[in-house]
Amino acid sequence: MNYRMIPWGLALLLIGLGAALVPALPKAKKNSESKVQRVRISAERFHFIPSRIRVKRGTLLEIELSSQDTFHGFRIPKAEVDVTIPARGQGKVKIRFRSRKAGSYPFECSRPCGAGHTMMRGTIIVE
Ligand SMILES: [Cu+2]
């Protein structure tokens, strides 16, 4: 073997070793636990848009809430979430929700906002 071939042979050997080792390295966790789903919900008399949200179980749901008119509330009774959504032009509020159990999690307006207040509802569906 020509001595000039040695470094190339060594390099190829190292590349080969590297390629062989890569699949053995632990892979980053890629399950839903590390995922975030961001949703914007707009509140106005007397509904939430959207009012139905689907999320995979374990995924962190980040909901940004804003109002198109007056103050509203956002409550998820099963998850002990209850916040006030500021009136239009007065800011937004963010909540985080995560469930490891599939099922439906109803939410509702928790701040009396007028005649249709009790109809102001929606559901988070955890699949
Ligand atoms: Cu209300």
Side-chain angles (χ1 to χ4, degrees):
M1 190 191 280
N2 186 325
Y3 75 96
R4 290 176 68 107
M5 294 297 285
I6 292 168
W8 281 109
L10 202 62
L12 284 172
L13 183 72
L14 286 174
I15 289 166
L17 266 176
L21 282 173
V22 165
L25 294 172
K27 281 184 179 155
K29 262 192 163 184
K30 268 203 166 174
N31 59 22
S32 57
E33 290 289 307
S34 56
K35 285 184 184 160
V36 181
Q37 182 180 336
R38 292 184 177 85
V39 176
R40 285 191 177 132
I41 296 182
S42 165
E44 62 176 276
R45 294 187 181 100
F46 293 103
H47 41 255
F48 291 104
I49 302 170
S51 62
R52 191 170 268 253
I53 291 142
R54 288 180 183 275
V55 64
K56 293 254 182 286
R57 66 193 170 96
T59 295
L60 179 68
L61 187 62
E62 228 181 61
I63 305 177
E64 187 186 86
L65 297 145
S66 60
S67 173
Q68 299 307 307
D69 43 41
T70 185
F71 282 85
H72 291 284
F74 185 87
R75 174 164 52 170
I76 309 172
K78 282 189 189 173
E80 287 175 19
V81 166
D82 191 1
V83 293
T84 294
I85 307 170
R88 185 189 175 101
Q90 293 186 34
K92 294 166 183 179
V93 64
K94 239 182 215 175
I95 67 112
R96 288 193 170 94
F97 169 87
R98 168 151 48 203
S99 175
R100 290 177 175 85
K101 273 174 66 182
S104 79
Y105 294 78
F107 59 83
E108 61 195 19
C109 179
S110 55
R111 193 180 162 119
C113 57
H117 164 68
T118 56
M119 298 184 317
M120 226 176 133
R121 295 169 178 279
T123 311
I124 297 169
I125 296 143
V126 179
E127 311 175 303

